[in-house]
Amino acid sequence: DMKLTEIPRSVLVLSPEALSQFQIRDFSDLNKIGAGTSRINYYGVPGSPILRGAKGGTYFNGMLRAFNRNEMPISFGSLEALDVVRGPAPSHLEVTNIGGYVNFIPKSPFFDENRGSIQLQAGSHDVYNLQIDSGGPLLIGSKPSAYRISITGQSADSYYDNVSNNYLSVYGSIKSELSQNVKLFAGAEYYQFRSNENVGWNRPTQALVDR
């Protein structure tokens, strides 16, 4: 019986440091940050979030993305930070699913100085992940500008036989200060994902358990 505007919202901002600390790389990792937060269980592919136990929506820099039934994962390669909101979307955003939404904050160029990093991770089940990130200031004409390039690649098997988790994300963005009050921001990403759907087991017999 409560009005939509009176439903309390829970807002969690995951900074780059928090994403690294919790090792959040796709929607299947959201259960690390709270109960009722996960991804839709559809063939095991993490393409959409579950918030407060209900389907949630996905925004990219405040723009609503098409609903993904988990045909493929959404790339986190262009992601700088993540807003996780449990509850109705505010009125200035387009309407989405009732559970709430996540808002991707894209990687933004650096205006202050040149920066770069290389990160390599390895784990069990032959998991190898490499990320190269670089950016810095430049001039476009006479306008102060900046760029950023981020490349993330992974080659990985999984606990299940013949179910890999291989992907490549190549992201680039540029920002230009046209005037004191006007900035132009543009970015693009190439994303390739290769794996198999894991349909799970629907009849775990004792022979299956033993072998």
Side-chain angles (χ1 to χ4, degrees):
D1 296 331
M2 184 179 294
K3 294 181 180 180
L4 186 64
T5 55
E6 296 175 350
I7 297 176
R9 297 183 181 94
S10 169
V11 181
L12 177 63
V13 179
L14 294 174
S15 65
E17 293 78 14
L19 290 172
S20 176
Q21 181 180 4
F22 287 105
Q23 289 293 291
I24 296 176
R25 297 177 178 171
D26 56 42
F27 286 138
S28 64
D29 296 325
L30 288 182
N31 56 9
K32 299 176 182 179
I33 62 173
T37 305
S38 183
R39 51 107 171 105
I40 296 176
N41 187 17
Y42 185 82
Y43 289 106
V45 182
S48 293
I50 287 284
L51 302 169
R52 285 183 173 171
K55 293 178 181 179
T58 305
Y59 294 86
F60 188 86
N61 207 21
M63 295 176 286
L64 183 64
R65 302 184 68 160
F67 180 69
N68 184 344
R69 282 192 64 211
N70 291 15
E71 283 82 3
M72 64 179 296
I74 289 179
S75 170
F76 275 45
S78 59
L79 175 64
E80 182 88 87
L82 188 67
D83 298 329
V84 181
V85 181
R86 301 175 179 90
S91 58
H92 69 279
L93 296 178
E94 190 172 349
V95 176
T96 186
N97 295 314
I98 62 173
Y101 65 94
V102 295
N103 181 40
F104 283 56
I105 308 299
K107 292 178 178 177
S108 184
F110 309 119
F111 271 93
D112 54 349
E113 61 180 1
N114 289 299
R115 302 181 190 178
S117 65
I118 298 177
Q119 184 177 8
L120 175 64
Q121 298 185 22
S124 56
H125 306 297
D126 295 325
V127 174
Y128 301 98
N129 186 285
L130 174 66
Q131 183 176 91
I132 302 173
D133 198 318
S134 178
L138 53 83
L139 286 176
I140 299 180
S142 60
K143 305 298 182 182
S145 306
Y147 76 96
R148 188 164 179 184
I149 298 173
S150 181
I151 302 174
T152 308
Q154 177 170 287
S155 175
D157 291 328
S158 69
Y159 175 80
Y160 299 95
D161 292 337
N162 301 317
V163 179
S164 60
N165 186 13
N166 303 329
Y167 64 82
L168 173 65
S169 167
V170 180
Y171 169 77
S173 63
I174 191 166
K175 184 180 286 188
S176 182
E177 190 173 301
L178 304 181
S179 67
Q180 186 175 0
N181 299 318
V182 179
K183 290 183 179 179
L184 176 65
F185 175 66
E189 180 183 20
Y190 168 81
Y191 178 57
Q192 181 188 64
F193 171 75
R194 290 185 176 182
S195 182
N196 300 318
E197 291 181 338
N198 176 19
V199 297
W201 297 99
N202 60 9
R203 193 178 181 186
T205 62
Q206 189 60 47
L208 174 65
V209 173
D210 294 340
R211 299 171 188 174

